Amino acid sequence: MSPFQLTRTLAHDAAGADLRADVLHGLTRSPKELPPKWFYDARGSELFEEITRLPEYYPTRAEREILAERAPEIAAATGARTLVELGSGSSEKTRFLIDALLPGLDSYVPVDVSESALTGAAESLLAERPGLRVHALVADFTRGLGLPGTPGPRLVAFLGGTIGNLLPAERRTFLRSVRAMLSPGDALLLGTDLVKDEATLVAAYDDAAGVTAAFNKNVLSVIDRELGADADPDAFDHVAVWDADREWIEMRLRARHALTVKIPELDLVVPFAAGEEIRTEVSAKFRQAGVRAELAEADLDLDRWWTDGAGRFALSLATAR
């Protein structure tokens, strides 16, 4: 059997159909919004990698610190023979888990919407770890997911604090879908950014170099390219605000003046008043009690909780009932 397999579960042009549906719904409602997944074309992915290296953006470094220290403990606790990673991207941080789980690890199953990211990561991993088997899935894990027939116990990893991009109702649906992938005794490793002071949080999403601003505005470039729109990124300001009641950061694009955006592919003209905003991302921050409660609602029991030395970020290990 080949050490690398790739399965495509996304229908042809599924991404294009989703983009059209999201833009039509999001820009005709009030207030306007767009899902953050549309940041991540090739340019957006490059910008996000740059963000992770910025001094203000602590989550990536904090999570890597935990994984580097705790991966052997995670491996011992789970005994996983299959590692599934949702939204795997470059699989860079996952190497700590893979190396800790080897030689008992039978299969690594990265899941991502980007086929190029999956194949690039797999080539790198297999070159360094010839005993590993990789079964990559080109899929949108937010739509539910069927996993290949790989041996248990299974460990599903959802890292990077990405769960914070989901609204509370979406998180409930997502965690239930993860539980449906698991057998009793299988585990979920979940990365969550933690509540902290407003200044630190806002700076992480509004860096001095303006990289996050370029990343936020890139969603307009995606719409322009894919839907023939005429949205001018320079006509919008990047805004990051902390909502203390909901305990989440919101990223927005704010129109600098009254304008209209024409989207020929949708036969749509979108008016903006001066100062009107599009919400492009929510990034929820968490507390241990809240994480425990959300996991329990999905029949997942929080067994281990680790933070980085500064207490900025947490990894939770939860077991399926």
Side-chain angles (χ1 to χ4, degrees), residues 59 62-63 66 160-161 191-194 196 306-308 311-315:
E63 187 176 48
I66 304 168
T192 49
D193 197 8
L194 301 179
K196 56 186 66 66
W306 300 284
T307 69
D308 64 295
R312 300 166 296 178
F313 196 94
L315 282 182

Side-chain angles (χ1 to χ4, degrees), residues 231-247:
D232 178 5
D234 291 335
F236 292 83
D237 287 320
H238 164 70
V239 180
V241 295
W242 170 242
D243 185 325
D245 294 330
R246 294 180 171 129
E247 294 190 327

